[in-house]
Amino acid sequence: MSRRREVSHTSARSLLMTVLGEYVLPRENPVWTATLVDALGLFGIEEKSARQALARAAGEGWLESAREGRRVRWSLTKPGKQLLTEGAHRIYEFGGAGREWDGRWLVLLVSVPESQRDLRHRLRTQLTWAGFGSPSAGVWVSPHVAREDEARTILEQLGAGSPMSFTASYGGIGEEATLVARSWNLSEVEEQYEDFIDQFDALTPETGEQALSAQTRLVHEWRRFPFLDPQLPARLLPAGWSGTKAAELFHRKHAEWRASAQAHWDELTS
């Protein structure tokens, strides 16, 4: 699944993947079509769109169906389980305590001619999703030097010219904060964190159905952030960074709502 598609959080298919990851993955039992359609219906997804999302997920190899009379059950395939397991790890680990940073930067030099606009666009899109920022044309930076392998894969797949990479510490000319400001729009990311906090901070579900709805929405909204936030070291972030509060909120609410949400799912599938 491409990162852009995974970040798109308003579609029936994207919501289906959230439901599958949160409730179906932890269990071995197949699920009736009607159960999945009803679950998506809690978020305003019409039956036709829900069924189309199931068909697309099956067509991409994440689900397989088995007919029992006039009814159909859905199970995760082996690739589907792997995809969702990796996604769950990324979602639940994101926002945890950051590692100490040694001050080194990974720097990529990538020259793509103006005439190759499609390649320039794809390169920018994929390096941005990988957390790189661009302070000037042809230059990409990340404080995570371990992402060099990911960058190499992107560059090789795109066939982007003759790139070069360096690891280095920031020098004595100019300010490191200026490099960050020119490379990433952190204010835009922080606005989305603030929206997340506003949406869930005061939310208190009272029934099992409300808990399932709240938990699903919580995970669904949070799963965007690993692809929006470059996860900069603490010393490079603005004071009072909202991402820290948002991460604490996500993990606290997820723990609070989990039992009730999972119990309601069991009721739906019993």
Side-chain angles (χ1 to χ4, degrees):
M1 189 189 311
S2 75
R3 294 190 169 199
R4 177 175 292 280
R5 290 175 65 184
E6 187 158 350
V7 164
S8 177
H9 60 287
T10 58
S11 69
R13 182 187 179 285
S14 184
L15 270 167
L16 171 64
M17 299 306 287
T18 299
V19 169
L20 294 175
E22 189 69 10
Y23 307 107
V24 178
L25 178 64
R27 298 164 172 82
E28 294 295 329
N29 300 328
V31 185
W32 294 112
T33 299
T35 301
L36 293 169
V37 169
D38 289 346
L40 294 181
L42 294 174
F43 309 96
I45 302 298
E46 297 180 354
E47 180 177 350
K48 179 180 179 181
S49 296
R51 290 180 179 275
Q52 289 175 341
L54 284 167
R56 285 196 294 270
E60 293 174 342
W62 313 132
L63 288 174
E64 58 187 2
S65 62
R67 183 171 293 277
E68 297 186 20
R70 300 179 62 183
R71 305 174 70 193
V72 174
R73 284 182 181 267
W74 297 90
S75 301
L76 291 169
T77 62
K78 184 176 180 179
K81 290 178 181 179
Q82 181 178 351
L83 174 79
L84 293 174
T85 298
E86 292 173 354
H89 178 77
R90 179 175 59 247
I91 292 167
Y92 302 132
E93 292 296 318
F94 182 76
R99 298 178 181 176
E100 291 294 325
W101 184 47
D102 62 5
R104 291 190 301 156
W105 289 88
L106 172 61
V107 182
L108 305 177
L109 302 183
V110 191
S111 179
V112 178
E114 177 66 28
S115 59
Q116 295 181 283
R117 292 186 178 181
D118 181 61
L119 176 58
R120 288 165 66 96
H121 172 72
R122 286 185 289 146
L123 179 67
R124 174 171 292 277
T125 298
Q126 293 193 35
L127 287 179
T128 298
W129 290 135
F132 285 81
S134 180
S136 62
V139 179
W140 292 86
V141 298
S142 170
H144 305 289
V145 297
R147 292 182 181 174
E148 186 172 26
D149 286 341
E150 184 174 2
R152 178 185 292 109
T153 299
I154 292 170
L155 294 168
E156 289 179 350
Q157 289 177 346
L158 294 179
S162 300
M164 294 180 284
S165 67
F166 303 86
T167 55
S169 299
Y170 195 86
I173 300 174
E175 299 292 335
E176 203 166 35
T178 303
L179 173 65
V180 172
R182 291 175 58 179
S183 301
W184 294 278
N185 187 351
L186 292 183
S187 61
E188 183 177 293
V189 178
E190 189 158 39
E191 285 179 7
Q192 298 205 43
Y193 275 131
E194 291 290 347
D195 288 343
F196 179 86
I197 294 168
D198 290 343
Q199 184 176 357
F200 294 104
D201 192 25
L203 187 60
T204 307
E206 297 180 356
T207 66
E209 180 177 301
Q210 290 176 356
L212 185 142
S213 176
Q215 183 82 313
T216 305
R217 286 170 47 210
L218 181 81
V219 174
H220 195 60
E221 293 298 320
W222 185 250
R223 61 182 277 200
R224 297 178 295 142
F225 287 109
F227 306 108
L228 297 175
D229 184 348
Q231 304 171 64
L232 301 182
R235 85 179 206 200
L236 300 178
L237 293 171
W241 175 242
S242 296
T244 303
K245 181 179 179 180
E248 293 172 351
L249 175 67
F250 169 77
H251 291 290
R252 174 166 53 84
K253 292 290 188 179
H254 190 272
E256 288 178 3
W257 299 342
R258 186 179 188 281
S260 183
Q262 295 289 337
H264 189 71
W265 180 263
D266 287 333
E267 292 179 12
L268 292 177
T269 56
S270 61

